[in-house]
Amino acid sequence: MDAGVRGVPAQSGPRAPRRGGQAAWGARLRSAEARHQAWGYLFLAPMFLLLVVFKFVPMLQALYLSLTNYDLLSPPHFVGLRNYATLLADPRFHQSVGVTVYYVFGTCVFIWVLSLAMALIFNAPLPGKNLLRTVYFLPAIVPVVVYAVIWLFMFHPYGLLNVALQTIGLRPVQWLSDTRAVMPGFILAALWRFVPYFMIIYLAGLQSIPHEYYEAAAIDGAAGGQAFRHVTLPLLRPTIVLVVVVSLILMSKVFTNVLIITGGGPDGATRVLSLFIYQTGFQFFKMGLASAASMFLLLGTMMFTLLQLRLFRDDARG
């Protein structure tokens, strides 16, 4: 009996999974995850290729050309930092930088405020709200050449702007020949085009805020301006950062409307840095000097963008 009992294999509980099976299952999971990642990189590869070919390679070429003397006819001749020194001593370059800064901040500050105000208005319950949004957004989708031609007629001495001024009893303004009025006119035209665009971005941010936050704020006694300050603005911070950064980049690259409407005049009052680069490279055939100016534009845009991101990040931590 004892021998028979000894001969019967002892019954055991549920078998524990083998380590080899666990390793194989983990390997299959890792392999599936690796395949998913590989497919993701494969789908992103065309965009990366476009960025490399049309962004990074031209940037490196522009950096190289900025160190050369190149007139589009003869081969580039290396001159080191001479182009940068020439630009720093050029009054036309200084004027273009000043005009660009004036235009960028004169436009962006109004864009940040007006587009948020319009988003708050269109986020409120209004009759025919969807139709009003569509009509208001139309200037943002007008082709840039059409937009420039429209404002070329608006700025005419007998254009709609001066007619409106005369209607309210003010004297007409020489928008295209007065150096003091031409840049405010361009800022007005930019607001007409870009406030609706950024209003839509703000509107998307406002509609993503859960209504429960406002209900909780109302229970705590916050309403109106207090709710906007303590609920809307903190939750809208990512959207504000996006609007600030994108608007600075877009305004710093203004070119087509300035070229069509004034060509940089009068007396260089609207010759922004992008137009200075174009004229230097393709009118005066100083491509090395134009490339050096484009490096200044790139560095300036990056500096302002990183500064804004740093300020918003520090404010969020505080």
Side-chain angles (χ1 to χ4, degrees):
M1 185 69 176
D2 293 336
V5 173
R6 291 191 192 101
V8 175
Q11 297 294 329
S12 59
R15 294 182 179 179
R18 298 179 180 178
R19 293 183 180 179
Q22 288 182 335
W25 179 249
R28 284 196 296 270
L29 287 178
R30 288 193 296 270
S31 177
E33 183 179 357
R35 286 197 299 270
H36 283 297
Q37 291 181 351
W39 276 107
Y41 287 125
L42 182 63
F43 282 115
L44 290 175
M47 182 56 64
F48 283 128
L49 182 62
L50 289 175
L51 286 175
V52 170
V53 173
F54 295 103
K55 291 290 184 180
F56 297 118
V57 171
M59 286 171 57
L60 293 177
Q61 290 178 337
L63 178 61
Y64 166 71
L65 290 177
S66 69
L67 304 175
T68 65
N69 183 13
Y70 181 44
D71 59 1
L72 295 176
L73 300 176
S74 57
H77 175 66
F78 185 79
V79 295
L81 299 177
R82 186 185 304 173
N83 289 325
Y84 294 94
T86 302
L87 286 177
L88 293 177
D90 187 355
R92 294 175 66 254
F93 176 73
H94 297 167
Q95 183 189 32
S96 297
V97 172
V99 169
T100 304
V101 173
Y102 177 19
Y103 177 81
V104 169
F105 286 97
T107 305
C108 287
V109 171
F110 286 106
I111 284 176
W112 302 336
V113 177
L114 293 178
S115 56
L116 178 57
M118 296 305 300
L120 291 172
I121 293 174
F122 282 111
N123 195 42
L126 295 173
K129 181 170 57 176
N130 293 331
L131 178 61
L132 291 175
R133 287 178 185 173
T134 303
V135 173
Y136 186 74
F137 187 70
L138 287 179
I141 60 176
V142 172
V144 63
V145 175
V146 177
Y147 151 70
V149 173
I150 289 174
W151 280 92
L152 181 62
F153 285 104
M154 295 277 284
F155 288 140
H156 192 273
Y158 301 102
L160 188 58
L161 286 180
N162 282 337
V163 171
L165 291 176
Q166 290 176 334
T167 302
I168 60 176
L170 299 177
R171 293 188 302 175
V173 177
Q174 300 300 319
W175 295 101
L176 300 181
S177 58
D178 188 348
T179 56
R180 296 174 299 177
V182 64
M183 189 50 69
F186 271 95
I187 292 174
L188 179 63
L191 296 178
W192 177 80
R193 178 174 177 82
F194 288 103
V195 166
Y197 174 79
F198 290 104
M199 180 269 293
I200 293 296
I201 299 177
Y202 272 129
L203 191 60
L206 288 172
Q207 293 181 349
S208 67
I209 300 176
H211 188 67
E212 289 78 7
Y213 288 103
Y214 294 103
E215 294 177 351
I219 294 174
D220 292 336
Q226 291 181 338
F228 175 76
R229 178 182 177 184
H230 297 289
V231 177
T232 303
L233 282 182
L235 295 177
L236 204 61
R237 190 186 307 276
T239 306
I240 295 174
V241 174
L242 175 65
V243 169
V244 168
V245 172
V246 173
S247 62
L248 285 173
I249 294 174
L250 286 179
M251 297 305 108
S252 65
K253 298 192 302 181
V254 60
F255 172 74
T256 306
N257 58 326
V258 178
L259 178 65
I260 293 174
I261 297 175
T262 62
D267 196 23
T270 59
R271 187 173 52 238
V272 291
L273 195 51
S274 57
L275 184 60
F276 174 85
I277 294 170
Y278 167 77
Q279 292 175 340
T280 302
F282 295 99
Q283 292 184 3
F284 304 123
F285 299 103
K286 297 179 180 179
M287 191 57 67
L289 204 62
S291 299
S294 68
M295 290 296 104
F296 277 114
L297 178 60
L298 173 64
L299 291 176
T301 304
M302 291 179 59
M303 181 184 68
F304 283 121
T305 301
L306 294 176
L307 179 62
Q308 292 293 333
L309 293 175
R310 178 65 180 271
L311 290 175
F312 276 101
R313 184 177 62 185
D314 293 343
D315 184 46
R317 290 177 178 177

